[in-house]
Amino acid sequence: MGEMAERAERFRFVDFPAVLDDLRADVLEGLACQPKSIPPKYFYDAAGCRLFEAICAQPEYALCRTERALMDKHLPAIAAATGPVDCVIEPGAGDCAKVRTLIDALHPGQLVALDIAGAALDAAAGTLAGEYSGLSVTALGMDFLHHLEAAAPYLASGRRLVYYPGSSIGNFSPGQAVDLLARFRQLAGADGQLLIGFDLKKDPEQLHRAYNDAAGVTAAFNLNLLARLNRELEADFDLDRFRHYAFYNPPAGRIEMHLVSLAEQTVSVAGQRFPFAIGETLHTENSYKFRGDEFSAIAGRAGWALTGEWALDGFCVQLYGETG
Ligand code: AVI
């Protein structure tokens, strides 16, 4: 069999529809609430993905670099702790960059990568399939928050590990995190495991700087959400009349990101009009920070039992297996 045909045998991409409808419904619902809010998953259009990559390169935002260093340092110990794994599942796989080191260490037979940005996932997962000759790669273009259970028929049997790096879990409320981790638990099945990375609680000044970088990249990332609504929902946000505002809220244990209206104004979105008072906020993201024991209590409520923990410079990776 030729190289191309052989790769085609091992790679498949399946797209799940309805992204635009979800965007419209979620945005209209969020703008009608008090305080106004928009789910953070909508940051990640093509421009938003590029801006997030740029955030990861900012000197103030160490999260991505530290997780990479942690994985490089502790991967042999992590692989020893997981034991043999047949199938790695990565929700929110993006450009499939992070999962490579894990594949190198665990040698699974199958990777199932899920991401809302279907076209980018298709390209990245296809490239990855070309590089790992023994690996079957299934890329599912889906909003896994809606469609996660639809991934089940694509999973090979055997021992599964859900990989959820990058502190993405911090972008959910603790209650939502329990629900999501319980759904991961269902997907992982008997003898399944979860390897998850999250940002640890640390000096609030350091956290504040990470979400208020001097180059203004996080501000541009936040404001791009409004630009996206202008592009995709025929909205008329004036980006000069909203200010990026991010701060650490110690009692809640989270960074909050807002877009604050600098004027009294009315904005039109998908044919509906929304008034903003001066100083009114549009809440765009929470980013929870945890202590290790706080996080294992959340995972415990979702049916996971802690089996390993590695920490480096304010970042933590934990490994879980099934309880009972
Ligand atoms: C993707 N997520 C973990 C990032 C975070 O830190 O919460 C998103 C981000 N928002 C602003 N900067 C980075």
Side-chain angles (χ1 to χ4, degrees):
M1 197 187 300
E3 215 174 275
M4 295 284 280
E6 190 273 335
R7 192 201 75 126
E9 287 249 304
R10 288 184 295 101
F11 174 61
R12 68 177 151 172
F13 171 71
V14 184
D15 209 7
F16 291 74
V19 171
L20 188 60
D21 290 348
D22 293 347
L23 173 73
R24 178 181 286 110
D26 289 349
V27 167
L28 291 178
E29 186 186 327
L31 289 176
C33 288
Q34 244 351 291
K36 294 180 172 68
S37 65
I38 293 182
K41 66 181 178 180
Y42 294 121
F43 280 132
Y44 302 94
D45 67 347
C49 290
R50 280 194 298 275
L51 284 163
F52 180 62
E53 268 179 41
I55 287 174
C56 292
Q58 295 311 300
E60 298 94 335
Y61 191 84
L63 194 155
C64 311
R65 282 188 298 280
T66 309
E67 183 175 42
R68 217 175 303 131
L70 185 156
M71 291 299 285
D72 286 348
K73 183 170 177 198
H74 293 296
L75 207 54
I78 291 171
T82 66
V85 169
D86 300 297
C87 170
V88 169
I89 306 161
E90 186 181 9
D95 62 5
C96 297
K98 289 180 187 159
V99 79
R100 284 163 190 269
T101 40
L102 201 60
I103 292 168
D104 291 337
L106 301 184
H107 308 292
Q110 189 194 26
L111 168 69
V112 179
L114 323 176
D115 204 281
I116 194 168
L121 178 69
D122 186 10
T127 305
L128 189 132
E131 290 168 18
Y132 289 85
S133 53
L135 184 69
S136 142
V137 178
T138 303
L140 305 178
M142 62 156 68
D143 176 356
F144 65 84
L145 296 176
H146 283 199
H147 299 293
L148 186 67
E149 288 66 24
Y154 297 93
L155 305 179
S157 54
R159 233 172 144 228
R160 297 171 183 156
L161 178 141
V162 176
Y163 181 45
Y164 201 49
S167 203
S168 299
I169 196 69
N171 296 133
F172 299 92
S173 72
Q176 290 170 330
V178 171
D179 289 350
L180 184 59
L181 295 181
R183 292 168 74 199
F184 289 171
R185 176 77 206 82
Q186 282 297 113
L187 203 64
D191 206 17
Q193 299 182 83
L194 168 70
L195 185 67
I196 188 159
F198 56 88
D199 208 11
L200 288 165
K201 283 191 166 137
K202 51 179 74 72
D203 179 353
E205 281 297 329
Q206 188 184 339
L207 286 168
H208 185 89
R209 282 194 297 275
Y211 292 80
N212 291 280
D213 59 277
V217 183
T218 307
F221 173 74
N222 201 4
L223 283 161
N224 177 62
L225 185 57
L226 302 185
R228 176 178 187 183
L229 303 187
N230 287 350
R231 283 191 295 268
E232 296 185 30
L233 293 183
E234 292 173 2
D236 61 358
F237 284 99
D238 178 348
L239 273 56
D240 292 332
R241 300 176 102 197
F242 286 88
R243 169 90 68 229
H244 163 74
Y245 193 73
F247 60 93
Y248 185 64
N249 176 340
R254 68 190 191 201
I255 287 280
E256 292 186 19
M257 271 202 343
H258 297 259
L259 289 163
V260 179
S261 176
L262 298 178
E264 188 172 324
Q265 54 185 320
T266 297
V267 177
S268 162
V269 182
Q272 295 192 27
R273 290 169 69 72
F274 297 94
F276 282 83
I278 185 164
E280 186 176 348
T281 165
L282 171 56
H283 189 172
T284 52
E285 187 181 64
N286 290 321
S287 188
Y288 283 85
K289 313 298 169 185
F290 307 93
R291 291 190 316 269
D293 63 306
E294 276 177 332
F295 193 80
S296 53
I298 287 173
R301 283 166 58 202
W304 289 107
L306 184 67
T307 54
E309 178 176 83
W310 300 267
L312 182 74
D313 295 342
F315 196 85
C316 187
V317 168
Q318 290 184 338
L319 179 68
Y320 288 90
E322 57 184 348
T323 51

